Amino acid sequence: MNFSIARIIVLSVMVLGLTGCSIESSELSATEWRPPDFLSSKRAFENLVRICSFGPRPSGSKGMAEQQAFLEKYLRDLGLEVELQTFQIRHPQTGAPVEMKNIIARWNPQKKKRLIVCTHYDTRPFPDRDPRQPQGIFLGANDGASGTAGLLELAHALTSQASTAGVDLIFFDGEEFVFDENRDRENYFLGSKHFARSYVANKNEIEYTGAVLLDMIGDKELQVFYEKNSFNFARDLTRELWMIADELKVKEFVPRVRHEVRDDHLPLIQIAKIPACNIIDFDYPRAGLRTQSYWHTTQDTPDKCSGESICKVIHVVWTWIQRNSAKP
């Protein structure tokens, strides 16, 4: 780990007590979100920091390999069945082969009707939108690590509450293995495309009835709008999630379309024909703030993120899982 990364991680740990603190129920009014006992904002933030400690994690990198080993062990230790779905691509710059790995962690693998909760766990190779250091260090605390930490927190919920649902937690590789925005257009969504095609080829084995994609859910200034493609192609699912958020007093879910985002939910919708909703806070920081966006910049670091934000999103998704597991 180089000095700049180490300094970022130390700073993140210093703010851990603030962003990952627990809140006594007596301090909350009836109109505020109440975190369930089985979710831990402290643990979610610690996992985000741990993931960022591996440094940049583009596909095929040393940081990615370390992250893969960490995730596989973590999920197996919780009791989930883990599959590594591997495939190869050519590096867009050198042409050398690059091994890609989707990590699929199954809870109640015997169930034939299943739900998907997914994220990408790779980081973009460089912070290409950084106005000063477009070839600098990109940690992807929100854009990569937050969704990954969220899936780990959801894994804790599934196992500690002995959920009866059939759920696949999927970590997609190669969401944006892009070095040149104009030339590498085919190197988006590599992992989700491979997964979707594999599902279509083997569809009679299991049936996915819905999918939720988590991306950039760790922003301290969390504010999540309907994503346009999700609303257009999976409207019932999208509305259901925002209605659940309203019931749980998660006010950061705003029932209004704001952004159209091309993301890993599109191959699930277009290739696999699975209704899929993207929960993404694309305004980073909060919408309306006159601040340079941290997206794809060196500023996307753990100190900009919150374990509480992650847990609010996971509470909504957990409730959706429980309600849908009861449907025939």
Side-chain angles (χ1 to χ4, degrees), residues 30-265:
T31 62
E32 293 179 299
W33 174 69
R34 295 176 180 270
D37 292 340
F38 54 85
L39 295 180
S40 168
S41 58
K42 181 176 184 292
R43 180 175 57 213
F45 188 74
E46 286 174 341
N47 278 329
L48 182 148
V49 171
R50 175 69 185 276
I51 291 163
C52 288
S53 75
F54 300 128
R57 304 169 302 283
S59 302
S61 68
K62 179 177 180 290
M64 172 57 93
E66 292 175 347
Q67 179 185 211
Q68 288 165 340
F70 164 70
L71 292 176
E72 185 179 359
K73 183 179 187 304
Y74 196 106
L75 294 161
R76 290 191 194 278
D77 286 349
L78 284 175
L80 283 81
E81 179 183 281
V82 178
E83 174 191 347
L84 302 179
Q85 188 181 56
T86 62
F87 59 102
Q88 279 198 346
I89 65 158
R90 292 289 180 181
H91 194 288
Q93 290 185 316
T94 67
V98 179
E99 184 176 75
M100 314 289 280
K101 289 182 182 178
N102 292 333
I103 299 176
I104 305 173
R106 295 189 173 90
W107 180 247
N108 290 330
Q110 75 282 1
K111 299 266 184 167
K112 298 301 181 186
K113 285 196 173 183
R114 308 187 62 75
L115 302 171
I116 293 173
V117 186
C118 53
T119 190
H120 75 91
Y121 74 123
D122 63 310
T123 57
R124 200 171 179 95
F126 298 107
D128 58 293
R129 292 184 180 269
D130 194 291
R132 296 182 179 178
Q133 302 180 69
Q135 295 290 309
I137 294 171
F138 182 58
L139 285 184
N142 195 23
D143 191 2
S146 69
T148 305
L151 257 60
L152 296 183
E153 197 57 33
L154 182 55
H156 278 281
L158 292 168
T159 56
S160 67
Q161 301 304 297
S163 173
T164 60
V167 183
D168 284 1
L169 307 181
I170 306 177
F171 303 77
F172 289 127
D173 202 347
E175 190 260 349
E176 47 185 357
F177 196 46
V178 174
F179 294 81
D180 184 314
E181 188 77 38
N182 297 317
R183 187 188 62 191
D184 299 342
R185 294 181 182 273
E186 296 302 314
N187 288 329
Y188 282 103
F189 324 131
L190 298 174
S192 54
K193 286 176 181 175
H194 179 82
F195 173 83
R197 289 166 183 149
S198 297
Y199 172 62
V200 170
N202 301 284
K203 192 171 182 179
N204 52 354
E205 294 182 7
I206 57 174
E207 178 187 355
Y208 291 116
T209 58
V212 176
L213 172 66
L214 307 179
D215 199 355
M216 299 176 67
I217 61 169
D219 186 356
K220 277 185 180 178
E221 300 286 343
L222 186 69
Q223 196 171 51
V224 187
F225 294 85
Y226 291 149
E227 187 277 320
K228 187 175 182 179
N229 290 307
S230 305
F231 192 73
N232 287 344
F233 298 110
R235 186 165 301 187
D236 290 346
L237 169 57
T238 302
R239 281 180 166 164
E240 181 182 5
L241 288 161
W242 265 251
M243 288 175 63
I244 289 170
D246 184 62
E247 292 173 23
L248 298 177
K249 312 301 182 187
V250 181
K251 298 178 181 179
E252 291 81 0
F253 279 61
V254 182
R256 187 170 74 249
V257 174
R258 180 170 173 83
H259 294 291
E260 179 178 358
V261 182
R262 295 179 65 248
D263 210 337
D264 279 317
H265 62 315

